[in-house]
Amino acid sequence: AGFGNHADGNRTGIVVGTGNHVTGTDGVIAGGTENMVDNSTRAMIGAGFRDTILAAENSFIGGGRLNKIGGGPGGTANVSHGFIGGGQNNKIQSGFSSGNHNAIVGGENHTLFGDHNVIAGGINNTNSGGGSNLFFGAGSNNNSFSGGSDYAIVAGSGNQIGGSFSVARGFVGAGQNNRLLRGTNSFIGAGLNDSRSGDNSFLGGGE
Protein backbone atom coordinates (compact mmCIF):
# COMPACT_ATOMS: atom_id res chain seq x y z
CA ALA A 1 0.00 0.00 0.00
CA GLY A 2 1.00 3.62 -0.22
CA PHE A 3 2.64 5.51 -3.07
CA GLY A 4 6.10 5.45 -4.62
CA ASN A 5 7.52 2.78 -2.30
CA HIS A 6 10.26 0.38 -3.45
CA ALA A 7 11.21 -2.87 -1.71
CA ASP A 8 14.25 -4.50 -3.31
CA GLY A 9 16.54 -7.29 -2.15
CA ASN A 10 15.73 -10.52 -0.35
CA ARG A 11 12.66 -10.78 1.89
CA THR A 12 12.13 -7.03 2.23
CA GLY A 13 8.83 -5.24 2.66
CA ILE A 14 7.04 -1.90 3.04
CA VAL A 15 3.65 -1.88 4.74
CA VAL A 16 2.41 1.61 3.93
CA GLY A 17 3.63 5.17 3.39
CA THR A 18 5.07 7.33 0.63
CA GLY A 19 8.46 7.30 -1.08
CA ASN A 20 10.05 4.69 1.19
CA HIS A 21 12.86 2.43 -0.07
CA VAL A 22 14.32 -0.83 1.27
CA THR A 23 17.35 -2.75 0.00
CA GLY A 24 19.32 -5.59 1.57
CA THR A 25 17.95 -8.66 3.33
CA ASP A 26 15.03 -9.03 5.76
CA GLY A 27 14.45 -5.27 5.95
CA VAL A 28 11.10 -3.63 6.72
CA ILE A 29 9.60 -0.15 6.69
CA ALA A 30 6.19 -0.08 8.36
CA GLY A 31 5.19 3.44 7.29
CA GLY A 32 6.13 7.08 7.05
CA THR A 33 7.56 9.22 4.26
CA GLU A 34 10.87 8.98 2.39
CA ASN A 35 12.49 6.62 4.87
CA MET A 36 15.33 4.36 3.69
CA VAL A 37 16.78 1.05 4.78
CA ASP A 38 19.83 0.74 2.55
CA ASN A 39 22.01 -2.36 2.16
CA SER A 40 21.18 -3.57 5.67
CA THR A 41 20.29 -6.98 7.11
CA ARG A 42 17.44 -7.40 9.61
CA ALA A 43 16.79 -3.67 9.91
CA MET A 44 13.49 -1.88 10.46
CA ILE A 45 12.04 1.64 10.43
CA GLY A 46 8.64 1.96 12.07
CA ALA A 47 7.59 5.33 10.69
CA GLY A 48 8.81 8.91 10.53
CA PHE A 49 10.21 11.24 7.89
CA ARG A 50 13.52 10.74 6.08
CA ASP A 51 14.96 8.36 8.65
CA THR A 52 17.85 6.22 7.36
CA ILE A 53 19.53 2.94 8.24
CA LEU A 54 22.68 2.61 6.15
CA ALA A 55 24.59 -0.69 6.07
CA ALA A 56 23.77 -1.31 9.74
CA GLU A 57 22.54 -4.80 10.48
CA ASN A 58 20.09 -5.60 13.29
CA SER A 59 19.15 -1.94 13.71
CA PHE A 60 15.87 -0.16 14.42
CA ILE A 61 14.44 3.37 14.16
CA GLY A 62 10.98 3.76 15.65
CA GLY A 63 10.08 7.12 14.14
CA GLY A 64 10.92 10.80 14.23
CA ARG A 65 12.62 12.96 11.61
CA LEU A 66 16.02 12.83 9.95
CA ASN A 67 17.43 10.18 12.26
CA LYS A 68 20.27 7.98 10.98
CA ILE A 69 22.03 4.77 11.91
CA GLY A 70 25.19 4.05 9.91
CA GLY A 71 27.97 5.88 8.16
CA GLY A 72 30.46 8.20 9.82
CA PRO A 73 34.25 8.67 9.68
CA GLY A 74 34.82 4.97 10.44
CA GLY A 75 33.08 3.93 7.24
CA THR A 76 29.71 2.49 6.40
CA ALA A 77 30.40 -1.14 7.32
CA ASN A 78 31.16 -0.77 11.04
CA VAL A 79 27.76 -0.14 12.61
CA SER A 80 25.35 -2.75 13.96
CA HIS A 81 22.65 -3.27 16.60
CA GLY A 82 21.69 0.41 16.72
CA PHE A 83 18.44 1.71 18.22
CA ILE A 84 16.83 5.14 17.84
CA GLY A 85 13.39 5.38 19.40
CA GLY A 86 12.41 8.76 17.96
CA GLY A 87 13.25 12.42 18.06
CA GLN A 88 14.95 14.49 15.41
CA ASN A 89 18.37 14.54 13.75
CA ASN A 90 19.86 11.86 16.00
CA LYS A 91 22.77 9.78 14.66
CA ILE A 92 24.53 6.56 15.56
CA GLN A 93 27.74 6.30 13.55
CA SER A 94 31.02 4.46 13.38
CA GLY A 95 33.50 7.01 14.67
CA PHE A 96 37.07 5.97 13.88
CA SER A 97 36.61 2.28 14.64
CA SER A 98 33.10 0.95 15.22
CA GLY A 99 29.61 1.85 16.39
CA ASN A 100 27.92 -1.22 17.81
CA HIS A 101 25.13 -1.75 20.36
CA ASN A 102 24.27 1.93 20.81
CA ALA A 103 20.88 3.45 21.66
CA ILE A 104 19.31 6.91 21.50
CA VAL A 105 15.87 6.81 23.08
CA GLY A 106 14.74 10.29 22.03
CA GLY A 107 15.64 13.95 21.96
CA GLU A 108 17.29 16.07 19.30
CA ASN A 109 20.68 16.46 17.62
CA HIS A 110 22.45 13.67 19.51
CA THR A 111 25.40 11.71 18.07
CA LEU A 112 26.88 8.46 19.37
CA PHE A 113 30.14 6.78 18.38
CA GLY A 114 31.90 3.78 19.94
CA ASP A 115 30.22 0.77 21.49
CA HIS A 116 27.55 0.07 24.14
CA ASN A 117 26.49 3.68 24.73
CA VAL A 118 23.10 5.21 25.58
CA ILE A 119 21.51 8.66 25.32
CA ALA A 120 18.08 8.76 26.95
CA GLY A 121 17.00 12.28 25.93
CA GLY A 122 17.86 15.95 25.88
CA ILE A 123 19.48 17.95 23.08
CA ASN A 124 22.94 18.18 21.49
CA ASN A 125 24.64 15.47 23.58
CA THR A 126 27.50 13.49 22.05
CA ASN A 127 30.59 11.40 22.76
CA SER A 128 32.84 12.90 20.12
CA GLY A 129 35.82 10.97 21.47
CA GLY A 130 34.16 7.58 21.18
CA GLY A 131 34.60 5.20 24.08
CA SER A 132 32.29 2.58 25.52
CA ASN A 133 29.64 2.14 28.21
CA LEU A 134 28.66 5.81 28.29
CA PHE A 135 25.29 7.03 29.57
CA PHE A 136 23.69 10.46 29.01
CA GLY A 137 20.42 10.81 30.89
CA ALA A 138 19.25 14.14 29.51
CA GLY A 139 20.44 17.73 29.49
CA SER A 140 22.03 19.68 26.67
CA ASN A 141 25.43 20.20 25.06
CA ASN A 142 27.14 17.55 27.18
CA ASN A 143 30.14 15.81 25.64
CA SER A 144 32.70 13.09 26.17
CA PHE A 145 35.81 14.34 24.37
CA SER A 146 38.16 11.40 24.80
CA GLY A 147 37.97 7.65 24.70
CA GLY A 148 37.42 5.73 27.88
CA SER A 149 34.78 3.58 29.48
CA ASP A 150 32.10 3.34 32.15
CA TYR A 151 31.07 6.94 32.68
CA ALA A 152 27.86 8.91 32.93
CA ILE A 153 26.44 12.42 32.62
CA VAL A 154 22.94 12.30 34.04
CA ALA A 155 21.71 15.83 33.29
CA GLY A 156 22.79 19.45 33.14
CA SER A 157 24.33 21.58 30.41
CA GLY A 158 27.79 21.91 28.94
CA ASN A 159 29.33 19.20 31.10
CA GLN A 160 32.46 17.47 29.82
CA ILE A 161 34.16 14.15 30.44
CA GLY A 162 37.69 13.75 29.13
CA GLY A 163 40.18 16.10 27.57
CA SER A 164 43.62 15.08 26.38
CA PHE A 165 43.37 11.93 28.51
CA SER A 166 40.76 9.21 28.83
CA VAL A 167 38.45 8.81 31.80
CA ALA A 168 37.27 5.54 33.31
CA ARG A 169 34.40 5.20 35.77
CA GLY A 170 33.52 8.89 35.90
CA PHE A 171 30.19 10.44 36.94
CA VAL A 172 28.66 13.92 36.55
CA GLY A 173 25.20 14.17 38.09
CA ALA A 174 24.04 17.57 36.85
CA GLY A 175 25.01 21.23 36.87
CA GLN A 176 26.63 23.37 34.22
CA ASN A 177 30.07 23.42 32.61
CA ASN A 178 31.55 20.84 34.96
CA ARG A 179 34.56 18.83 33.78
CA LEU A 180 36.13 15.49 34.59
CA LEU A 181 39.42 15.83 32.76
CA ARG A 182 41.34 12.64 33.50
CA GLY A 183 41.74 9.70 35.85
CA THR A 184 39.50 6.99 37.25
CA ASN A 185 36.73 6.73 39.84
CA SER A 186 35.85 10.45 39.89
CA PHE A 187 32.55 12.08 40.84
CA ILE A 188 30.92 15.51 40.45
CA GLY A 189 27.42 15.69 41.86
CA ALA A 190 26.36 19.10 40.52
CA GLY A 191 27.50 22.71 40.57
CA LEU A 192 28.88 25.28 38.16
CA ASN A 193 32.27 25.38 36.44
CA ASP A 194 33.72 22.63 38.65
CA SER A 195 36.71 20.59 37.53
CA ARG A 196 38.22 17.29 38.72
CA SER A 197 41.47 15.72 37.57
CA GLY A 198 43.04 12.60 39.01
CA ASP A 199 41.95 9.35 40.56
CA ASN A 200 39.35 8.69 43.26
CA SER A 201 38.19 12.31 43.49
CA PHE A 202 34.81 13.53 44.78
CA LEU A 203 32.99 16.87 44.55
CA GLY A 204 29.39 17.12 45.68
CA GLY A 205 28.63 20.55 44.20
CA GLY A 206 29.47 24.22 44.43
CA GLU A 207 31.27 26.60 42.12
Side-chain angles (χ1 to χ4, degrees):
F3 178 77
N5 297 310
H6 299 278
D8 303 315
N10 300 316
R11 300 183 299 277
T12 61
I14 296 172
V15 180
V16 71
T18 302
N20 299 302
H21 192 188
V22 180
T23 67
T25 302
D26 298 321
V28 175
I29 295 177
T33 303
E34 298 181 17
N35 299 303
M36 178 179 290
V37 174
D38 186 13
N39 193 29
S40 300
T41 301
R42 296 180 297 279
M44 177 178 178
I45 294 176
F49 175 72
R50 291 188 179 175
D51 295 323
T52 302
I53 297 176
L54 173 62
E57 65 178 21
N58 299 303
S59 295
F60 175 84
I61 296 176
R65 297 170 55 87
L66 305 174
N67 298 305
K68 183 177 182 180
I69 299 175
T76 61
N78 296 308
V79 179
S80 70
H81 298 85
F83 173 90
I84 296 178
Q88 178 172 317
N89 199 35
N90 298 307
K91 296 179 177 66
I92 294 174
Q93 298 190 308
S94 61
F96 296 100
S97 56
S98 62
N100 301 315
H101 300 276
N102 293 310
I104 298 174
V105 180
E108 184 175 348
N109 297 332
H110 302 307
T111 304
L112 275 180
F113 305 99
D115 300 324
H116 300 97
N117 302 306
V118 175
I119 295 177
I123 183 170
N124 295 332
N125 297 309
T126 186
N127 64 332
S128 61
S132 61
N133 301 315
L134 160 71
F135 175 80
F136 285 121
S140 62
N141 302 307
N142 299 306
N143 197 349
S144 168
F145 283 93
S146 63
S149 63
D150 305 308
Y151 41 86
I153 298 176
V154 178
S157 175
N159 297 305
Q160 171 186 336
I161 289 181
S164 300
F165 299 89
S166 65
V167 174
R169 298 182 296 281
F171 179 92
V172 176
Q176 184 174 351
N177 299 329
N178 298 306
R179 298 183 297 166
L180 288 179
L181 297 177
R182 62 184 295 181
T184 61
N185 303 316
S186 297
F187 177 96
I188 296 176
L192 174 65
N193 298 324
D194 295 319
S195 178
R196 296 283 92 183
S197 180
D199 298 335
N200 304 307
S201 60
F202 175 90
L203 181 64
E207 181 176 352

